[in-house]
């Protein structure tokens, strides 16, 4: 019997004797299924939007953490006294995740370790960063744009920041969204090991980095994304030229948010984006 299929762009042909077909058929079935899935793009879930209650001055895409969904954060963000911000809360694709042994859940990219030490899923990072950029691309020209997130969502926010200052995604495609603010809670910086070398010799990247405000917050008791990873990410960003970077530590706080942290986010965004409140 002749088997022919496409794997990693190559056509493979197998000719099997009838006596071993029975034993190999489960293997072939799994292999063919893997091949068919490997090229299939992941579909993003539902996007939730929180409309501004006052004059629309800024739009921020806010990204949830691993195995969560956009609605969880849209409900919280709606309660923040930031009437000039439109919040866009997308939901990540459902995909196999290495850290869960390949079990599928909502994730912005594949991850084997929730830190900057793990291998980087560049394809997944680029796909999610491009999805976020596309959500922001239709906003009015006079609206300030930002990206924020929690945990893995914070990782995409920081990755988007690096794409912005470099002017391109990791795959070389141009990144054209002009970002005015980045917020990361309990997250980490993907591709940190290669960021410095990619920025070397680029005055434009250094200039952009110096003018992009970033707020990072992390709990010292975080047992999911360890505090040291958040702190190290902040140090890396600062070392490559992100001068307007604020890092806040919350003593004893785990992998969750607290009212004091959200107050910091509110005050920081109000100042950096020069929001008017309900005066208009």
């Amino acid at each position: 019997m002749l088997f022919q299929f496409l794997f990693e762009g190559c056509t493979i042909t197998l000719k099997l004797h009838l006596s071993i077909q029975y034993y190999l058929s489960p293997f072939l079935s799994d292999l063919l299924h893997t091949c068919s899935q490997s090229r299939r793009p992941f579909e993003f879930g539902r996007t939730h939007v929180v409309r501004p209650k006052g004059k629309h001055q800024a739009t921020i895409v806010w990204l949830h953490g691993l195995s969560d969904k956009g609605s969880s954060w849209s409900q919280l963000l709606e309660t923040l006294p930031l009437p000039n911000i439109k919040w866009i809360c997308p939901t990540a694709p459902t995909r196999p995740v290495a850290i869960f042994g390949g079990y599928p859940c909502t994730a912005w990219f594949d991850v084997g370790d929730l830190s900057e030490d793990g291998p980087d899923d560049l394809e997944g990072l680029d796909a999610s960063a491009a999805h976020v950029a596309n959500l922001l691309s239709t906003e009015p020209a006079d609206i300030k744009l930002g990206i924020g997130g929690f945990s893995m969502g914070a990782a995409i926010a920081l990755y988007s920041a690096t794409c912005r200052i470099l002017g391109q995604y990791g795959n070389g495609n141009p990144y054209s969204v002009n970002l005015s603010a980045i917020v990361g809670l309990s997250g980490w910086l993907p591709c940190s090991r290669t960021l410095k070398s990619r920025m070397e010799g680029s005055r434009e990247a250094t200039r952009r980095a110096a003018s992009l405000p970033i707020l990072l917050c992390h709990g010292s008791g975080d047992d999911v994304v360890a505090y040291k990873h958040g702190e190290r990410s902040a140090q890396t960003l600062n070392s490559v030229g992100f001068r307007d970077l604020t890092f806040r530590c919350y003593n004893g706080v785990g992998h969750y948010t607290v009212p004091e942290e959200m107050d910091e986010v509110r005050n920081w965004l109000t100042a950096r984006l020069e929001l008017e409140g309900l005066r208009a």
Side-chain angles (χ1 to χ4, degrees), residues 157-209:
L158 292 178
Y159 181 71
S160 297
T162 64
C163 292
R164 162 58 186 156
I165 61 111
L166 291 166
Q168 62 181 18
Y169 296 95
N171 60 17
N173 291 337
Y175 186 95
S176 57
V177 176
N178 185 19
L179 299 174
S180 297
I182 299 291
V183 179
L185 311 182
S186 305
W188 73 95
L189 173 65
C191 303
S192 61
R193 294 181 294 273
T194 60
L195 180 58
K196 189 171 184 178
S197 62
R198 293 183 68 198
M199 285 193 63
E200 286 180 352
S202 175
R203 292 184 179 180
E204 181 64 16
T206 302
R207 184 191 66 80
R208 288 177 177 175

Side-chain angles (χ1 to χ4, degrees), residues 49-60 77-78 80 82-88 139 143 275 277-278:
V49 178
V50 179
R51 303 289 178 184
K53 299 177 178 65
K55 179 183 177 182
H56 183 196
Q57 292 181 275
T59 296
I60 296 178
L77 295 171
E78 192 166 16
L80 285 186
L82 288 168
N84 308 118
I85 294 180
K86 172 185 175 182
W87 301 96
I88 302 177
E139 292 299 296
I143 298 300
L275 303 179
L278 287 171

